Amino acid sequence: MRRGSEDGVYDCVIVGGGIVGLATAYRLTEAQPGVSVAVVEKEPAPARHQTGRNSGVLHSGIYYQPGSLKAVMCRTGRDSMVAFAQAHDIAHDVCGKLIVATDDSELPGLHRLHQRGTENGLKVELMVPAQAAEYEPHVNCVAALRVPSTGIIDYVAVTETLARILSDRGVELRLGTEVVDLTSDGHGERVVTTDGELTTRFLVTCAGQYSDRLARLGGLDPEVQIVPFRGEYFELRPEKHHLVRSLIYPVPDPAFPFLGVHLTTMIGGGVHAGPNAVLALGREGYRWRDVNPAELAETLRYPGFWKLAAEHWRSGLDEMVRSWSRQRFARSLQRLVSDIEADDLIPAPAGIRAQALRPDGGLVDDFLLIEDTRSLHVANAPSPAATASLEIGRHIADRAIDGLRRVGAVDN
Ligand SMILES: Cc1cc2nc3c(=O)[nH]c(=O)nc-3n(C[C@H](O)[C@H](O)[C@H](O)COP(=O)(O)OP(=O)(O)OC[C@H]3O[C@@H](n4cnc5c(N)ncnc54)[C@H](O)[C@@H]3O)c2cc1C
């Protein structure tokens, strides 16, 4: 039986009802069924931000530096996510994907990815155009890499299932409740919300766009700032769905952690094209007209932003032009599938990547978790964190259990 928070102190409070926060609560209550847990989410429902506005891809782990948290957790996380989807009847499809070199200049990059995939323990296959065409008859390439373990899933359905299981396990989901301050005293960490205060023996924050702020409120310096990069999508009009069978990706630019606009079939039907990467004018600025002056000023005051801009101004400008011009967006897609026209593109909702940036202008590539004895803050959880969420959650839950052991709240 779950111990309640009758003494007014939770064993663990988790801030953020995205997929990482809920996966953490899921792993924690799986490993320690007796602990009292509350998840605090400012929106009226889970998955309203990155988790509900992404490409819906189950990544294989091909891209990431071998040994990095991303490489390890993406691979194991993909397997856990597929097993979770099977156990709970969540629609998914391990359909595989093609990464395509569209001219000879991209061949070295494609071969590097082949090498990296092999180093990461994946089954990957280099293909000539005729072989690639057996999987994607309309693809345009000089060579391709097929990654059979990539798939698609609905992460909102995953998050809703997690929320249902947590509710059955007695976890309190406090929706529509924003955390506005964090302090500590002799009893534990105090979580000040728009709906009163909670006290917890261990605090976890998985706050996406606001992760750096919450870490600072909690007294830790993440040494990074979140810079919001919007990813805009289009849908292909139904008459053109036949042009894409599964997933078609370009060879990514190694200077960026983003994968380049790609074509993705969605588990609920349809084909998505995108996302690009433009600076959002607020951490939740999903359209150009959504400007948050204070948050924009915060980005523009940050030295790391100007160092990044100085180094990558040309590609930044290209991305902006592509954001304003459907023709330019279509041209990027035509490199992958020539028969896509600008008129085939219907605007779809955008997502915003919470990307941690260092003061020297370096984009933090790996997952970044910072902790002290009574708290852990997720400071960077970009793609493939949805794929990896059940493994990130397991890792954080282990750290929380260590913290609870130290104060005698769970047995050794
Ligand atoms: C355009 C795009 C495409 C992507 N594609 C993929 C993909 O195909 N596959 C993949 O694996 N990953 C993908 N990702 C990455 C993936 O979506 C994220 O890594 C993942 O969803 C992060 O989950 P999260 O729970 O950390 O963050 P979020 O989903 O952003 O959740 C954070 C939550 O914290 C809440 N919160 C913030 N501040 C407070 C506060 N003060 N009080 C209370 N609540 C608060 C927010 O409301 C939010 O619900 C993509 C991301 C984007 C943006």
Side-chain angles (χ1 to χ4, degrees):
M1 187 63 193
R2 177 167 318 289
R3 183 173 68 228
S5 57
E6 290 86 14
D7 59 353
V9 182
Y10 291 89
D11 290 317
C12 187
V13 167
I14 298 169
V15 182
I19 200 164
V20 175
L22 293 191
T24 299
Y26 173 77
R27 289 306 197 192
L28 180 55
T29 50
E30 180 181 64
Q32 290 288 335
V35 294
S36 56
V37 179
V39 178
V40 186
E41 165 56 50
K42 69 183 168 63
E43 302 294 346
R48 286 286 169 94
H49 294 289
Q50 294 176 96
T51 301
R53 291 168 163 270
N54 61 36
S55 299
V57 176
L58 277 164
H59 284 294
S60 63
I62 185 171
Y63 299 104
Y64 316 118
Q65 177 74 36
S68 63
L69 289 176
K70 271 188 176 179
V72 175
M73 290 184 177
C74 182
R75 216 177 139 209
T76 50
R78 191 214 75 104
D79 294 348
S80 306
M81 190 58 76
V82 170
F84 185 83
Q86 284 166 349
H88 298 285
D89 227 1
I90 297 167
H92 66 289
D93 182 10
V94 181
C95 51
K97 83 168 173 185
L98 285 184
I99 303 171
V100 297
T102 56
D103 61 41
D104 289 351
S105 70
E106 293 176 347
L107 286 174
L110 193 74
H111 289 123
R112 271 196 301 277
L113 271 184
H114 180 231
Q115 166 82 17
R116 183 158 273 192
T118 310
E119 284 166 11
N120 280 327
L122 300 177
K123 198 176 133 218
V124 281
E125 192 185 350
L126 273 174
M127 293 184 163
V128 296
Q131 289 171 302
E134 284 174 25
Y135 291 95
E136 293 287 354
H138 300 277
V139 79
N140 172 36
C141 67
V142 295
L145 192 58
R146 181 165 150 80
V147 191
S149 54
T150 304
I152 52 175
I153 195 165
D154 177 351
Y155 287 116
V156 175
V158 173
T159 311
E160 284 168 352
T161 304
L162 285 170
R164 228 178 6 255
I165 296 170
L166 292 175
S167 173
D168 290 347
R169 290 181 183 174
V171 170
E172 278 180 45
L173 290 179
R174 296 189 170 217
L175 300 173
T177 305
E178 182 173 353
V179 172
V180 291
D181 201 6
L182 299 169
T183 56
S184 22
D185 62 22
H187 303 291
E189 302 291 305
R190 284 173 52 216
V191 181
V192 184
T193 80
T194 45
D195 188 28
E197 280 189 24
L198 293 78
T199 305
T200 181
R201 296 183 179 88
F202 198 87
L203 170 72
V204 175
T205 71
C206 313
Q209 300 296 343
Y210 295 99
S211 51
D212 53 344
R213 275 198 205 165
L214 285 197
R216 286 196 177 91
L217 284 178
L220 294 186
D221 181 3
E223 296 172 8
V224 293
Q225 182 167 310
I226 292 293
V227 175
F229 285 100
R230 189 169 60 241
E232 294 158 327
Y233 290 96
F234 288 94
E235 257 176 61
L236 285 195
R237 69 186 167 89
E239 295 82 348
K240 292 295 181 90
H241 287 177
H242 69 280
L243 294 176
V244 184
R245 282 191 185 164
S246 56
L247 310 174
I248 307 176
Y249 279 63
V251 176
D253 178 345
F256 294 104
F258 313 135
L259 301 179
V261 294
H262 43 263
L263 291 156
T264 318
T265 52
M266 303 301 281
I267 197 71
V271 177
H272 266 191
N276 60 359
V278 290
L279 180 71
L281 305 181
R283 295 190 184 211
E284 295 175 355
Y286 289 102
R287 299 162 301 181
W288 279 115
R289 61 177 178 274
D290 298 331
V291 184
N292 181 320
E295 292 179 354
L296 179 58
E298 194 182 19
T299 298
L300 298 180
R301 275 198 308 268
Y302 187 53
F305 171 73
W306 290 106
K307 288 182 181 145
L308 179 77
E311 200 175 335
H312 297 291
W313 65 270
R314 195 183 293 276
S315 41
L317 209 61
D318 277 354
E319 289 284 346
M320 280 179 51
V321 172
R322 191 162 58 176
S323 166
W324 289 102
S325 159
R326 202 173 300 189
Q327 297 285 349
R328 281 289 289 272
F329 208 103
R331 227 178 290 154
S332 305
L333 298 170
Q334 282 159 1
R335 287 177 65 78
L336 308 175
V337 174
S338 336
D339 295 345
I340 296 174
E341 311 283 346
D343 286 349
D344 299 331
L345 302 179
I346 303 163
I352 301 182
R353 306 167 184 87
Q355 175 62 52
L357 185 64
R358 286 190 291 266
D360 67 2
L363 294 159
V364 179
D365 190 42
D366 208 358
F367 301 146
L368 178 63
L369 312 175
I370 54 169
E371 56 189 302
D372 63 14
T373 52
R374 294 206 303 204
S375 65
L376 183 149
H377 301 270
V378 177
N380 195 48
S383 185
T387 307
S389 52
L390 288 168
E391 290 312 308
I392 302 175
R394 191 197 299 279
H395 177 87
I396 300 173
D398 287 348
R399 312 304 296 143
I401 292 165
D402 286 347
L404 292 174
R405 271 201 194 105
R406 278 194 292 274
V407 295
V410 300
D411 295 335
N412 278 310

